[in-house]
């Protein structure tokens, strides 16, 4: 079982991304959030429809974008849910989706608290 870290976002990764992206940083974080907000409800529907391929595609992208902003625990839950395409275990997929949603809520709170002023 995966355990949660103290911070939902790795501060070193976040800070490095901020330094690299400079003016585009806020836009990148906003895109990450908009994408996550859009795909989480879709994942629920795809699980209910037993569309494991769609779940896998969405989770692969979500895993990558989560890692990019330093949300490594969220990326891990996306990876676990991505495995639904291989194991077809709908109940396990529902559990991983619930964990992913919970972790995304933690990430949102962290990002709100660490928002960069434009």
């Amino acid at each position: 079982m995966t355990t949660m870290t103290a911070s939902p976002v790795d501060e070193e990764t976040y800070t490095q991304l901020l330094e690299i992206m400079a003016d585009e940083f806020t836009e990148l974080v906003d895109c990450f959030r908009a994408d996550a907000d859009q795909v989480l409800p879709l994942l629920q529907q795809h699980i209910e429809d037993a569309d494991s391929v769609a779940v896998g595609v969405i989770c692969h992208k979500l895993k990558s974008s989560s890692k990019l902003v330093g949300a490594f625990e969220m990326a891990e839950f996306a990876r676990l849910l991505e495995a639904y395409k291989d194991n077809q275990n709908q109940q396990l997929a529902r559990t991983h989706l619930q964990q992913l949603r919970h972790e995304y809520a933690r990430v949102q709170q962290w990002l709100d608290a660490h928002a960069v002023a434009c």
Side-chain angles (χ1 to χ4, degrees):
M1 178 92 190
T2 304
T3 58
M4 283 193 257
T5 57
S7 175
V9 176
D10 179 74
E11 293 188 39
E12 183 178 344
T13 301
Y14 186 83
T15 301
Q16 288 175 352
L17 184 62
L18 174 59
E19 290 171 3
I20 293 168
M21 297 296 296
D23 294 338
E24 287 105 20
F25 178 77
T26 301
E27 183 179 344
L28 178 79
V29 171
D30 289 346
C31 285
F32 163 75
R33 293 174 83 156
D35 286 347
D37 288 341
Q38 181 180 24
V39 300
L40 286 172
L42 290 175
L43 285 170
Q44 177 72 46
Q45 187 59 51
H46 289 312
I47 290 169
E48 295 309 314
D49 293 343
D51 188 349
S52 61
V53 172
V55 171
V57 168
I58 290 169
C59 286
H60 185 75
K61 180 181 175 189
L62 189 58
K63 177 180 67 177
S64 297
S65 63
S66 298
K67 285 180 180 179
L68 180 66
V69 298
F72 297 125
E73 195 73 21
M74 184 175 165
E76 176 61 10
F77 287 127
R79 184 194 67 77
L80 291 170
L81 185 53
E82 182 182 18
Y84 174 58
K85 73 182 184 315
D86 299 323
N87 65 31
Q88 306 290 310
N89 184 332
Q90 204 167 25
Q91 185 56 45
L92 187 58
R94 287 185 189 112
T95 298
H96 292 317
L97 178 58
Q98 182 180 20
Q99 293 167 321
L100 180 60
R101 284 182 170 154
H102 176 74
E103 187 60 20
Y104 178 54
R106 293 181 68 228
V107 169
Q108 285 181 303
Q109 287 180 321
W110 192 94
L111 291 172
D112 288 344
H114 295 83
V116 175
C118 296

